[in-house]
């Protein structure tokens, strides 16, 4: 048997998976509270009729529900502050969050900071959490961030001009309710953006210096499922099998990254996404082929394994297989219309100092397999211009 190095896994929610699983929401909610704040986005859940169905099913069991809707993509601190106010006014004891990654993150932040005396901004600046969080049920309607299973959330502060994460074990949902049917009506663009984020997270968790025996198995399975299904989910959104694979792949990637950490794509995706107003998944997709090249000298064997898992390089050596992975990722990003140079985004070299400063501070860059320095980061950004 192979020796396994010591490892530790981050806490995880109870995970409920299945097409149609959302119909059991009220039973799970009743285990955790009596009055929920239901957090959702800008209308797709309401337009589909799902929101009314969900609220009706909760109220039918005498559960009280306050809806907090309108969470924007790349959400800001003020949205969380408003949600926390609504939660307090209505004395909610549970947060149910149903939507994409932004909605997951806002729901987790409202529940996590519900009993904190400080402002959301103070915690975004690094003040540790001290009070107990409210329980969270997280039901994703996209297959992307995996936020439903992680202790991490990402918020933007327009006043300070930064996008940064808050991480605390108290932010882990009690229940992650994964129903792939909720993703069937997601349009192609957000399907691609979420899926490219999930693929990047799987690959970065696999090559992270924090990876372990368990996260490797999750990450490789995520790479295989997302790799086999993202194109189909993008071109043929109502294909339930493709959506199921994406749902499983994204949650496995989330489980892997919660313990393994990520890498340089995620270290750069926040400052670049904020500077050029890109959805997170597009920022990841633009960066990923360059970061694979950047890391290839130290991660060749792992990239080769990923290529073999994807079925794109069965009988070749590591060097050739790692190159094949790089080509495959570049072609995928092109096909999903998520490739661009930094100059196409409006970047110039003058922007680099602030991007480098933000990336060097990020935990993700510290988990990158090739050590990141200001010098090699500047070289990488020049290549991307
Ligand atoms: Fe991500």
């Amino acid at each position: 048997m192979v020796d396994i190095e010591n490892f530790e896994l981050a806490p995880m929610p109870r995970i409920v998976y299945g097409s149609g699983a959302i119909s059991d929401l009220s039973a799970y909610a009743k285990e955790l509270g009596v009055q929920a704040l239901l957090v959702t986005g800008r209308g797709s859940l309401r337009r589909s009729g799902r929101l009314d169905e969900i609220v009706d099913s909760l109220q039918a069991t005498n559960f009280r529900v306050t809806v907090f809707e309108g969470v924007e993509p790349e959400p800001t601190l003020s949205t969380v502050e408003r949600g926390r106010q609504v939660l307090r006014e209505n004395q909610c004891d549970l947060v149910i969050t149903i939507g994409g990654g932004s909605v997951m993150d806002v729901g987790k932040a409202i529940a996590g900071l519900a009993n904190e005396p400080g402002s959301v901004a103070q915690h975004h600046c690094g003040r540790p959490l001290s009070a107990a969080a409210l329980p969270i049920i997280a039901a994703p309607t996209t297959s992307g961030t995996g936020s439903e299973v992680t202790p991490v959330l990402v918020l933007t502060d327009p006043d300070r001009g930064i996008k940064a994460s808050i991480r605390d074990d108290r932010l882990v949902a009690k229940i992650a309710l994964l129903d792939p049917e909720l993703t069937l009506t997601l349009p192609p663009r957000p399907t691609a953006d979420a899926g490219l984020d999930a693929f990047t997270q799987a690959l970065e968790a696999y090559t992270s210096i924090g990876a372990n025996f368990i996260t490797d198995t999750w990450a490789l399975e995520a790479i295989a499922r997302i790799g086999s299904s993202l194109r189909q989910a993008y071109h043929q959104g109502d294909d339930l099998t493709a959506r199921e694979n994406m749902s499983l792949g994204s949650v496995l990637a989330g489980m892997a990254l919660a313990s393994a950490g990520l890498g340089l794509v995620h270290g750069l995706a926040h400052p670049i996404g904020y500077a050029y107003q890109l959805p997170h998944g597009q920022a990841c997709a633009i960066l990923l082929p360059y970061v694979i090249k950047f890391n290839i000298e130290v991660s060749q064997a792992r990239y080769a394994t990923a290529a073999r898992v994807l079925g794109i390089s069965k009988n070749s050596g590591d060097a050739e297989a790692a190159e094949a992975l790089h080509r495959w990722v570049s072609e995928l990003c092109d096909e999903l219309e998520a490739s661009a140079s930094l100059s196409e985004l409006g970047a110039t070299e003058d922007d680099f100092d602030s991007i480098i400063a933000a990336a060097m501070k990020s935990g993700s860059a510290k988990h990158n397999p090739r050590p990141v320095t200001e010098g090699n980061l500047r070289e990488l950004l020049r290549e991307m211009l």
Side-chain angles (χ1 to χ4, degrees), residues 172-186:
V172 177
K174 281 274 181 273
I175 297 176
L177 189 56
L178 297 162
D179 182 347
E181 285 183 6
L182 293 179
T183 68
L184 282 171
T185 53
L186 188 70

Side-chain angles (χ1 to χ4, degrees), residues 116-240:
E116 293 289 346
S119 67
V120 178
Q122 286 171 324
H123 292 286
H124 198 238
C125 288
R127 177 175 168 155
L129 274 63
S130 56
L134 293 186
I136 303 160
I137 298 179
T141 58
T142 64
S143 297
T145 64
S147 180
E148 65 276 9
V149 290
T150 74
V152 188
L153 58 89
V154 180
L155 297 171
T156 296
D157 180 356
D159 292 340
R160 287 191 300 141
I162 63 159
K163 187 172 176 183
S165 58
I166 301 177
R167 183 184 178 118
D168 192 288
D169 287 351
R170 277 167 275 209
L171 300 172
V172 177
K174 281 274 181 273
I175 297 176
L177 189 56
L178 297 162
D179 182 347
E181 285 183 6
L182 293 179
T183 68
L184 282 171
T185 53
L186 188 70
R189 184 70 263 146
T191 296
D193 293 345
L196 288 164
D197 179 28
F199 183 82
T200 305
Q201 291 180 166
L203 191 62
E204 290 214 294
Y206 183 57
T207 54
S208 164
I209 59 166
N212 67 50
F213 165 69
I214 303 283
T215 61
D216 283 353
T217 64
W218 291 337
L220 285 175
E221 184 68 20
I223 288 166
R225 287 190 184 268
I226 298 166
S228 69
S229 301
L230 177 51
R231 282 185 170 87
Q232 179 68 1
Y234 175 70
H235 292 297
Q236 189 71 51
D238 60 358
D239 181 331
L240 183 60

Side-chain angles (χ1 to χ4, degrees), residues 197 201 266 280 284:
D197 179 28
Q201 291 180 166
H266 276 79
H280 173 65
C284 289

Side-chain angles (χ1 to χ4, degrees), residues 97-113:
T97 185
I98 309 177
S102 302
V103 173
M104 296 288 109
D105 284 2
V106 167
K108 285 162 62 179
I110 293 170
L113 303 179

Side-chain angles (χ1 to χ4, degrees), residues 320-372:
E320 210 179 308
E323 287 296 337
L325 176 77
H326 177 261
R327 266 196 313 281
W328 184 89
V329 167
S330 302
E331 285 165 11
L332 176 70
C333 296
D334 285 346
E335 184 176 333
L336 272 50
E337 297 183 58
S339 303
S341 66
L342 286 183
S343 44
E344 283 172 313
L345 302 175
T348 67
E349 279 208 43
D350 294 344
D351 303 343
F352 288 178
D353 285 346
S354 62
I355 293 171
I356 290 168
M360 292 300 293
K361 272 192 244 158
S362 85
S364 293
K366 294 183 180 85
H367 281 81
N368 194 65
R370 177 179 166 193
V372 177

Side-chain angles (χ1 to χ4, degrees), residues 9 44 46 68 144-145 153 222 268 280 353 375:
L9 296 174
S44 58
R46 186 174 281 288
F68 178 70
T145 64
L153 58 89
L268 283 166
H280 173 65
D353 285 346

